[in-house]
Amino acid sequence: MTNFFDLTLKELEDRIEILGIKPYRARQIFKWVYQSDLFDFSLMTNLPKGLRVTLRNMFHFGFPEIRETKTSGDGSVKFLLAASDGRFIESVLMPEDDRSTLCVSTQIGCKMSCAFCVTSKIGFVRDLAAGEIVGQVMAARRAAGGVRITNVVLMGMGEPLDNIDNVLAAIDILEEPLGLKISHRRLTVSTVGLLDRLRLIDPRRAQLAISLNAATDAVRTRLMPINRVYPIRDVLGYVRGLGDTGRTRVTFEYVLLQGINDSLEDAKQLAELLTGVKCKINLIPYNASPYAEFKTPHPGSVKDFQSYLVNRRFTAIVRDSRAADIGGGCGQLGMKYLE
Ligand code: SAH
């Protein structure tokens, strides 16, 4: 039986059309499920009774089950979810005054082997299905008592572009006006920069964040082995080539690691590298874990690094390390697999 949450609206239309059912029925079903949180076909009162039975035999509503919730001192919440095969998935909800952002995982484990990230230490376990990506949003929304999730970042466990088909389907469902209605401006795909796949993310469908993390190939390769395949100049070449496609600027993420890439000299190299590239820079002070040997930078060097960039007219913000106290910060997801 198919998991309903795996299906885009178009796929649902196609599935029922084969049975001779009009596509508008799919739109009615989507509204029930995603906008009224109704997970029982027999209660969808505007559908003919026979169709309700047919649907019940075709689809089930499988979303990951919340096993554990941890609340951070900063108000964010980390969810430990169990997939249908019992494997664990983590997502982090970050409420703010005017919005609520959910950071979702796209894979269990990861193949990218970034030196500073806990998820990479698990190795690769498996891709998440589209329904498991969408399911994290459904589960969090329910658990948070109907809090409207306004922003979704594909920035949890895994490399989204390494699971491109399921990620594209999930984006479709999340953005569907009859689905979860997340605006494309509020949906971000974060990637190490798999350039051959990056082209598949339509600028009108999602914001892009690229994990740069270093200003030279030597340092980036040490931190992110994928740099051997897609070195810095190719990543920047791609971003330059985007020009003014109407999308908001690409964000470069830069994890600050004490003594590795957090000096003023590093800031200078970064500024030179990014001169003329339309972008924003997100500085992320390293979140420590027992599974990697790096050190968190001193607050003073974070400030100096940021000031150097800002003085040169870059938009550079320091991302607050939210949820780090509960193992829910960037690069901390997946510890459950290592305990
Ligand atoms: N694979 C994707 C998404 C997951 S990582 C990517 O690389 O973008 C999300 C972000 O967390 C990346 O920018 C990554 O560089 C950052 N990150 C990973 N480990 C971290 C850590 N220990 N401390 C701070 N940021 C980290």
Side-chain angles (χ1 to χ4, degrees):
M1 235 201 266
T2 303
N3 182 3
F4 185 87
F5 298 115
D6 279 335
L7 296 174
T8 64
L9 180 58
K10 177 78 180 63
E11 285 167 344
L12 180 62
E13 285 173 353
D14 292 348
R15 290 275 185 108
I16 63 172
E17 210 168 1
I18 299 170
L19 306 174
I21 299 158
K22 291 273 186 299
Y24 79 92
R25 294 292 183 193
R27 299 198 287 275
Q28 291 177 313
I29 301 165
F30 246 58
K31 271 184 97 169
W32 278 119
V33 173
Y34 290 107
Q35 296 180 3
S36 305
D37 271 324
L38 189 68
F39 308 128
D40 182 346
F41 292 114
S42 65
L43 301 177
M44 298 184 181
T45 46
N46 56 358
L47 304 181
K49 288 232 165 70
L51 174 57
R52 296 185 218 172
V53 176
T54 309
L55 292 167
R56 211 172 54 207
N57 293 326
M58 286 172 80
F59 306 112
H60 75 283
F61 294 100
F63 52 96
E65 204 180 289
I66 297 187
R67 285 289 166 81
E68 219 177 275
T69 331
K70 279 191 187 163
T71 305
S72 156
D74 65 23
S76 5
V77 184
K78 181 170 86 164
F79 299 107
L80 181 74
L81 307 138
S84 55
D85 63 357
R87 293 217 161 88
F88 291 115
I89 308 172
E90 289 182 310
S91 6
V92 183
L93 181 65
M94 294 162 282
E96 286 170 72
D97 295 343
D98 55 343
R99 60 179 173 183
S100 269
T101 303
L102 187 73
C103 174
V104 302
S105 297
T106 55
Q107 295 180 316
I108 300 179
C110 187
K111 296 176 200 159
M112 298 299 126
S113 303
C114 298
F116 45 80
C117 179
V118 167
T119 307
S120 76
K121 311 290 175 195
I122 306 171
F124 178 68
V125 180
R126 69 169 174 86
D127 284 331
L128 292 182
E132 292 175 318
I133 300 171
V134 173
Q136 293 171 65
V137 181
M138 299 303 285
R141 187 166 80 165
R142 256 187 155 185
V147 167
R148 186 164 144 61
I149 293 168
T150 55
N151 296 52
V152 174
V153 292
L154 276 57
M155 222 180 255
M157 289 199 283
E159 168 48 46
L161 300 191
D162 186 39
N163 182 16
I164 187 76
D165 292 343
N166 295 344
V167 161
L168 289 175
I171 291 176
D172 221 273
I173 300 164
L174 292 172
E175 291 184 353
E176 169 54 51
L178 296 169
L180 282 158
K181 291 201 285 194
I182 308 274
S183 147
H184 71 280
R185 292 175 201 285
R186 293 168 171 268
L187 191 147
T188 302
V189 176
S190 178
T191 172
V192 295
L194 302 182
L195 296 185
D196 57 331
R197 309 262 172 93
L198 214 43
R199 292 166 219 285
L200 299 172
I201 306 276
D202 184 334
R204 288 157 306 190
R205 298 300 302 281
Q207 307 304 309
L208 264 190
I210 300 180
S211 298
L212 189 60
N213 295 336
T216 64
D217 280 320
V219 179
R220 191 166 190 262
T221 298
R222 177 179 161 200
L223 300 176
M224 304 173 66
I226 193 70
N227 192 61
R228 290 203 181 89
V229 186
Y230 302 109
I232 294 179
R233 65 176 171 280
D234 293 357
V235 172
L236 295 188
Y238 176 79
V239 174
R240 280 204 180 88
L242 289 174
D244 262 323
T245 43
R247 101 158 76 198
T248 47
R249 287 173 289 171
V250 167
T251 297
F252 287 113
E253 292 154 298
Y254 189 102
V255 186
L256 287 162
L257 305 162
Q258 189 189 129
I260 309 274
N261 64 0
D262 68 336
S263 70
L264 274 185
E265 187 50 37
D266 294 307
K268 190 172 166 218
Q269 283 181 329
L270 185 63
E272 276 163 19
L273 192 67
L274 296 182
T275 296
V277 182
K278 274 192 79 184
C279 65
K280 290 185 269 193
I281 305 168
N282 255 1
L283 301 171
I284 319 175
Y286 172 65
N287 291 312
S289 78
Y291 306 99
E293 73 280 21
F294 299 100
K295 291 205 185 75
T296 305
H298 295 296
S301 31
V302 174
K303 201 103 222 67
D304 292 347
F305 199 103
Q306 182 192 20
S307 303
Y308 186 92
L309 296 171
V310 170
N311 291 338
R312 276 147 197 84
R313 302 191 163 275
F314 286 99
T315 306
I317 59 157
V318 177
R319 170 128 37 97
D320 344 319
S321 283
R322 297 201 59 171
D325 57 336
I326 51 167
C330 294
Q332 291 181 319
L333 298 184
M335 278 198 243
K336 195 83 187 166
Y337 284 91
L338 302 167
E339 280 164 2

